[in-house]
Amino acid sequence: MASRKKIALIGAGQIGGTMALLCGQRNLGDVVLVDIMEGVAKGKALDLQQTRSILKFDVSITGGGTTDYSIIKDADVCIVTAGVPRKPGMSREDLLKVNLDAITKVAQGIKQYAPNAFVIVVTNPLDSMVYAMYKITGFPKNRVVGMAGVLDTARFQFFVADAAGASPQDVTAMVLGGHGDDMVPVLRYCSVNGTPLTKLVEKSKLDAIVERTRKGGGEIVALLGTGSAFYAPASSAVAMAESYLRDQKRSFPCSAYLEGQYGVKGLFLGVPVVIGAEGVERVIELDLNEEEKAMLGKSIESVKKSVAETRL
């Protein structure tokens, strides 16, 4: 009988705890929650273990501290949310420095103890953090990916469905580019059950939805007062992990390493990919018109600037 898969969740904050619950509910594999605050990881793990008889799942959930990464030994998947969210008054450069330190330690731990893992990075600024993970681990490009486009697309799908009076499940959408204000929702490739969005939602409303999607994280931060979104980010990362573990070959927009696709070489950028048992199995290259290429070009420049600041 094959042993269960092992999923290491590095960072036991709101996203980490929610991912642990989702992994348990889907019986994806045994979960290890790891955090710099060891008590938080152990406490959440124990709380989740106590739901097993109620939620009827058989995988175990344990917790530990990040001083010793041996707890993640031989993990099949590592999902990284370690680092700090951006606080009021904190510049993007400040955030980059703090989280680059965190990602460096995590990457070294993964390289040592989980050398065959599929790594999903969630920490912001996303496109430079996933680049750092790739550089420090030295893993092949198909085994390091960033979660951003799945979340941005899910937000866009919800806003569109709300405006069109449809189910979010019936909205097909595609968001390209970096995770931030320069993301590019490609409206020509968006539809509701095959009907083009432009036939269902007027242009001015669509423009407002695009803008709201770009600022989606900030809207939730402002409402919460403290902290940031966690249910949708956690669901997005777990969907990617599930596609890998169960070889579902689902197509997601993810921050993937490009080698010439979309005119980009040697950078991670949000593009549609297929995730299966080999990790990022292929990058799907869409035909873009001049306007879309221009928007994507702006996003690429933002990502290049952010990556250059990592000095890796």
Side-chain angles (χ1 to χ4, degrees):
M1 187 176 146
S3 61
R4 287 199 293 249
K5 299 292 186 184
K6 181 174 179 178
I7 302 154
L9 305 177
I10 303 169
Q14 294 279 44
I15 297 178
T18 305
M19 289 193 300
L21 175 63
L22 292 169
C23 288
Q25 288 175 318
R26 294 178 184 208
N27 279 294
L28 286 186
D30 292 330
V31 174
V32 181
L33 264 174
V34 186
D35 199 272
I36 200 159
M37 295 172 72
E38 188 171 358
V40 170
K42 286 184 171 175
K44 286 190 178 181
L46 183 58
D47 190 9
L48 286 161
Q49 287 277 59
Q50 291 165 3
T51 70
R52 283 173 57 180
S53 62
I54 303 164
L55 297 178
K56 306 284 189 269
F57 65 82
D58 298 316
V59 298
S60 72
I61 300 174
T62 52
T66 46
T67 45
D68 177 14
Y69 274 94
S70 62
I71 191 171
I72 72 166
K73 186 171 166 49
D74 298 332
D76 296 279
V77 174
C78 296
I79 307 179
V80 182
T81 59
V84 299
R86 190 160 158 183
K87 297 182 175 73
M90 190 185 226
S91 74
R92 203 170 53 79
E93 286 76 16
D94 293 339
L95 180 70
L96 182 87
K97 186 179 181 307
V98 172
N99 284 351
L100 186 57
D101 288 345
I103 284 287
T104 300
K105 292 187 180 83
V106 172
Q108 288 162 346
I110 291 172
K111 184 178 181 178
Q112 183 177 355
Y113 289 105
N116 298 310
F118 179 58
V119 184
I120 300 168
V121 178
V122 182
T123 305
N124 280 319
L126 191 276
D127 301 286
S128 37
M129 292 300 103
V130 67
Y131 180 82
M133 178 65 67
Y134 169 71
K135 281 291 189 187
I136 296 161
T137 57
F139 285 4
K141 67 181 188 298
N142 60 305
R143 285 205 283 115
V144 181
V145 69
M147 188 296 290
V150 182
L151 171 62
D152 295 331
T153 301
R155 286 174 171 158
F156 185 68
Q157 286 167 314
F158 170 69
F159 297 147
V160 163
D162 201 36
S167 164
Q169 294 178 62
D170 286 341
V171 179
T172 303
M174 182 55 62
V175 176
L176 301 178
H179 183 48
D181 292 351
D182 295 326
M183 69 178 79
V184 184
V186 189
L187 299 181
R188 287 190 307 122
Y189 287 96
C190 301
S191 63
V192 177
N193 231 347
T195 305
L197 276 196
T198 44
K199 294 255 192 267
L200 296 168
V201 183
E202 60 196 59
K203 175 91 170 62
S204 61
K205 272 193 182 171
L206 278 179
D207 290 342
I209 287 169
V210 167
E211 196 50 35
R212 191 179 178 192
T213 302
R214 286 180 174 144
K215 304 272 195 295
E219 183 179 354
I220 290 172
V221 167
L223 288 166
L224 291 176
T226 56
S228 53
F230 53 95
Y231 294 123
S235 304
S236 302
V238 169
M240 290 164 66
E242 183 172 20
S243 191
Y244 171 74
L245 290 167
R246 296 188 166 150
D247 194 20
Q248 291 175 334
K249 301 199 190 302
R250 292 190 64 193
S251 175
F252 297 112
C254 301
S255 187
Y257 190 75
L258 301 183
E259 294 178 306
Q261 303 97 327
Y262 295 94
V264 177
K265 208 163 190 173
L267 275 183
F268 279 81
L269 186 73
V271 293
V273 303
V274 173
I275 294 180
E278 298 301 313
V280 177
E281 296 192 340
R282 66 190 171 104
V283 170
I284 299 165
E285 205 162 358
L286 302 175
D287 289 325
L288 301 180
N289 62 29
E290 291 311 310
E291 185 189 359
E292 291 155 355
K293 282 178 184 169
M295 285 195 294
L296 187 60
K298 188 179 170 199
S299 186
I300 290 164
E301 288 310 309
S302 298
V303 172
K304 276 183 181 168
K305 183 174 179 290
S306 184
V307 168
E309 287 163 7
T310 65
R311 295 180 177 85
L312 285 169

